[in-house]
Amino acid sequence: MTNRLFVLTRLVREGAPRLAQRPAATALLLGALVACTRPRLPVTPYPAPVRDSSSPRATADRSADEDIEYLRERHLVVPVANVRPEQISDSFDEPREGSRRHRAIDIVAPRGTPVLAADDGKVLRVSWNNAGGNTVYTVDPDSRLVYYYAHLDRYRDSLVAGMPLLKGDTIGFVGTTGNAPKDIPHLHFQVMRMPRDGKYWNGEAINPFAMLRAEAEHDREGGNGKK
């Protein structure tokens, strides 16, 4: 590089009178001179992405049966305080508008009853929508299951996305916001598999009814975990 720099400098010095009459040639020569003096940095290739086994894409590779068995092993608590598993009805396949199915269970309770986290994990989203009213999305510790709580009368104070949760923590209170009948306070509780694209609000629904009913004896021994 030193030899090329010397030659270019000499050309500029000796040919200055002629280059002054040819601006384009001057610009070209000066550009070459700058390129020669610019330090060359080593090229470092980007490493290949590492696949996180807890990411939504990775968990979606598991079968539905595996996620159902995983849900069974989570030992969910009834997500409404003072409601026993045997008091819950299976409304998962009930028809709704048009050909739509419910794909969730409704847990009826007096307005203002604490809504509890059914599982450990963290809050994904706290928001309002026309159908669900005040809603909360949470996820289990392995990001395999999404829990959706809707029609809340209000949220627990300081509830925010990213907040860690323990099973039985209060996240809100039973209400009738959204499209719920105003005379039937209840919690709309839905469990979904985390989809491959990470759009957790659009995952495949799993019926949690049998799992909650199976926890009747477990809940009687340990209580509802209410906080």
Side-chain angles (χ1 to χ4, degrees), residues 51-67 70 142-144 193-194 196 204:
R51 192 178 192 189
D52 181 359
S53 61
S54 66
S55 68
R57 181 175 295 276
T59 58
D61 290 340
R62 299 184 177 95
S63 70
D65 288 342
E66 287 176 310
D67 281 342
Y70 175 73
D142 289 342
S143 297
R144 291 177 62 171
R193 301 176 66 208
M194 179 67 82
R196 179 181 295 273
E204 177 187 352

Side-chain angles (χ1 to χ4, degrees), residues 99-167:
S99 59
R100 187 172 65 87
R101 296 287 174 175
H102 191 208
R103 295 296 183 257
I105 59 174
D106 288 337
I107 304 175
V108 178
R111 187 184 304 277
T113 303
V115 171
L116 312 176
D119 195 1
D120 299 335
K122 68 177 181 180
V123 178
L124 284 176
R125 182 176 175 182
V126 179
S127 63
W128 164 278
N129 66 65
N130 290 334
N134 291 323
T135 64
V136 178
Y137 288 89
T138 71
V139 67
D140 77 285
D142 289 342
S143 297
R144 291 177 62 171
L145 301 170
V146 177
Y147 305 104
Y148 177 60
Y149 308 79
H151 306 314
L152 304 182
D153 186 65
R154 59 187 176 87
Y155 306 114
R156 161 189 154 183
D157 292 342
S158 74
L159 189 77
V160 293
M163 175 183 291
L165 291 172
L166 293 177
K167 192 180 297 183

Side-chain angles (χ1 to χ4, degrees), residues 21-84:
Q21 301 174 358
R22 301 175 63 184
T26 302
L28 181 61
L29 189 57
L30 288 176
L33 180 61
V34 171
C36 287
T37 58
R38 184 183 297 122
R40 294 185 178 181
L41 299 177
V43 177
T44 304
Y46 288 103
V50 177
R51 192 178 192 189
D52 181 359
S53 61
S54 66
S55 68
R57 181 175 295 276
T59 58
D61 290 340
R62 299 184 177 95
S63 70
D65 288 342
E66 287 176 310
D67 281 342
I68 291 172
E69 183 57 32
Y70 175 73
L71 175 62
R72 196 183 315 277
E73 294 170 355
R74 297 303 304 164
H75 298 292
L76 303 184
V77 299
V78 176
V80 178
N82 304 318
V83 174
R84 298 189 305 274

